[in-house]
Amino acid sequence: MSTLILSLPPARPGPATEYSYTLTADGHTALRHAAAAPALLPEPTRPGGEVVAVVPARALSWQRVQLPPGLPVGTGQQTPRLRSVLEGLLEDRVLDDAAQLHFALQPGARAAEPVWVAVCDRGWLREHLQALEAAGRRVARVVPEFAPGPTATGRPELTALGTPEDASAVLTGLGADLGVAVLPLTPMALAMARAGAPEPGAPQAGADDDNALAVRAEPAVAALAERTLGQRVALHTASQRALDAARSDWDLAQFDLASTGRTRALRKAGSVASALLNAPQWRAARWGAGLLVVAHLVGLNAWAWQERQALAAKQAAVRSTLTQTFPKVQVVVDAPVQMERELAQLRQAAGSVSARDLEPLLAAAGSALPAGSQPTGIEYTPGELRLRGVPLAPEDEAAFSARLQAAGYRMRQDDGSLLLRAGGTP
């Protein structure tokens, strides 16, 4: 799925504010990365793409709290009551007024268990989201640059970022709670990170025995980090960090900043549709679906062609039967109608009657009517006989209709009279 990942500046938005962005098609590789004003930001390249905003580590603080038992905390249950509970739990831990802060619970949070709460300035976050939406870049998710929990390497990590004049170290995967800490880039930060790392020689999958701590740095501060920490560091760009953050399960857009359930459902459906249409892992399924559609179209066209051929053969046989039986018919327009007309003329010439004539209709009605039933009036038109003044009980009417059907006639009640016809439904 195409994704535009934006890094939110630490200052409030203004006329000259620019956003660093990373554009990716698969969530793992950057197609483009740069910085631009909101109106000049690129759009996701595919339908169903989303915009993800990344909150920098310095703009967040992390608090570990335990929610009261029985408090609903799931998606769609972030009520003012839950907000009030969080304000009460955190008011003594934060420096600012809790009412001016934005809170976000960790994914899968449950009551009566310790949970992580992300805290940031609500006005700052809201203004950035509004500025992006005004520029046509509505943010679908808000994710933290670094989040508590296990790291990709499974051990504590230290990431140096910033500029040489204002460098900082972000420690992740620390302690039993796997928390996050932001410190100045000093040897003390390295010592704190090593305190949470396994001892050299201890079993640790994927870790070097000489250095179980993963140390990374942005290119701008890589040299400073090596001098300060006294060891080599791996380069890790801001674009790579943004891609890592966008793949997390976190979404800080909660409470008053949360999207509606309908919006989330539509966004998820769009993301799934985009993945099915564009993701490489679904290429085989797309080819299979396309081949299945083509096979069905070919089969339907072949079946329709066969049906047309069979119908044309039957029509040709009927026309041939008409012209062979009645050689004087030179032009065939409607073979069944013309054949019936010719048969009627033959019967008339021979003095015979058909099932549509008066005598057969009267004979069928006389044999089917209950004993003692006599009509008070009879009307005849070619192929139709109307009997008036014949009241029938429901059971007699059913028996009368059954006997007529056995003789090849149909009957129905019409304006207080019985209407008989030969052949099809009257």
Side-chain angles (χ1 to χ4, degrees):
M1 181 183 63
S2 176
T3 306
L4 176 65
I5 308 172
L6 306 174
S7 296
L8 302 182
R12 291 179 180 264
T17 300
E18 290 189 342
Y19 294 85
S20 298
Y21 70 85
T22 298
L23 188 63
T24 177
D26 57 8
H28 296 271
T29 306
L31 297 177
R32 193 190 336 163
H33 57 88
L40 301 179
L41 290 170
E43 295 185 6
T45 56
R46 293 173 179 170
E50 65 175 1
V51 179
V52 178
V54 179
V55 178
R58 289 184 175 183
L60 284 174
S61 68
W62 298 95
Q63 304 294 334
R64 189 77 161 166
V65 300
Q66 183 162 330
L67 299 175
L71 184 67
V73 296
T75 303
Q77 297 177 319
Q78 295 171 347
T79 60
R81 178 192 173 197
L82 176 58
R83 166 82 192 189
S84 300
V85 170
L86 291 176
E87 288 184 4
L89 292 173
L90 297 174
E91 62 180 351
D92 295 333
R93 303 191 193 182
V94 296
L95 299 178
D96 298 325
D97 182 5
Q100 305 301 318
L101 298 175
H102 176 69
F103 302 133
L105 295 171
Q106 72 178 56
R110 289 185 288 186
E113 294 183 4
V115 298
W116 284 105
V117 181
V119 183
C120 69
D121 187 312
R122 180 164 55 178
W124 165 83
L125 181 57
R126 183 191 299 274
E127 288 178 17
H128 276 295
L129 297 181
Q130 290 175 346
L132 291 169
E133 185 171 357
R137 305 297 182 271
R138 183 180 179 85
V139 174
R141 286 192 302 133
V142 182
V143 298
E145 187 177 25
F146 297 91
T151 62
T153 59
R155 58 184 188 268
E157 296 180 356
L158 184 152
T159 305
L161 47 85
T163 63
E165 296 78 18
D166 186 23
S168 59
V170 180
L171 311 181
T172 52
L174 291 179
D177 295 330
L178 302 176
V180 177
V182 182
L183 303 172
L185 183 57
T186 62
M188 184 179 296
L190 180 63
M192 181 178 292
R194 288 191 181 281
E199 294 295 332
Q204 181 73 11
D208 297 329
D209 289 341
D210 296 331
N211 180 24
L213 176 68
V215 181
R216 304 179 299 183
E218 287 185 332
V221 294
L224 176 63
E226 289 184 349
R227 291 196 306 268
T228 303
L229 304 177
Q231 68 176 67
R232 296 186 62 82
V233 299
L235 293 181
H236 194 66
T237 65
S239 180
Q240 292 171 319
R241 196 165 64 250
L243 290 170
D244 293 341
R247 290 195 298 270
S248 74
D249 296 331
W250 278 85
D251 187 0
L252 304 183
Q254 300 180 21
F255 295 101
D256 56 331
L257 299 182
S259 302
T260 63
R262 181 174 179 271
T263 301
R264 287 193 299 269
L266 290 175
R267 186 183 302 133
K268 184 175 181 180
S271 300
V272 171
S274 177
L276 291 175
L277 292 173
N278 302 292
Q281 61 267 31
W282 290 100
R283 183 176 292 113
R286 291 194 296 270
W287 273 102
L291 291 175
L292 185 62
V293 171
V294 171
H296 274 76
L297 289 176
V298 172
L300 287 174
N301 280 279
W303 175 79
W305 179 82
Q306 291 178 345
E307 289 296 315
R308 286 195 298 268
Q309 293 297 108
L311 179 60
K314 291 179 180 179
Q315 291 174 340
V318 171
R319 288 194 296 268
S320 177
T321 302
L322 174 62
T323 56
Q324 291 176 4
T325 307
F326 303 100
K328 68 177 183 178
V329 178
Q330 300 296 323
V331 179
V332 179
V333 178
D334 189 336
V337 173
Q338 290 175 278
M339 185 173 293
E340 185 177 359
R341 186 183 302 118
E342 294 295 328
L343 287 173
Q345 291 176 357
L346 288 176
R347 283 194 300 267
Q348 185 177 4
S352 62
V353 296
S354 70
R356 295 168 54 85
D357 291 333
L358 176 61
E359 293 83 352
L361 284 169
L362 285 174
S367 62
L369 281 172
S373 298
Q374 298 291 333
T376 59
I378 297 175
E379 296 179 7
Y380 170 75
T381 56
E384 181 177 285
L385 180 67
R386 184 182 297 273
L387 304 177
R388 297 186 181 277
V390 186
L392 294 177
E395 59 275 10
D396 292 337
E397 182 179 345
F400 180 52
S401 178
R403 286 192 288 268
L404 285 176
Q405 287 182 5
Y409 293 90
R410 298 289 184 270
M411 180 276 295
R412 67 180 174 89
Q413 292 276 1
D414 181 56
D415 194 20
S417 61
L418 300 179
L419 187 63
L420 280 69
R421 285 181 179 173
T425 302

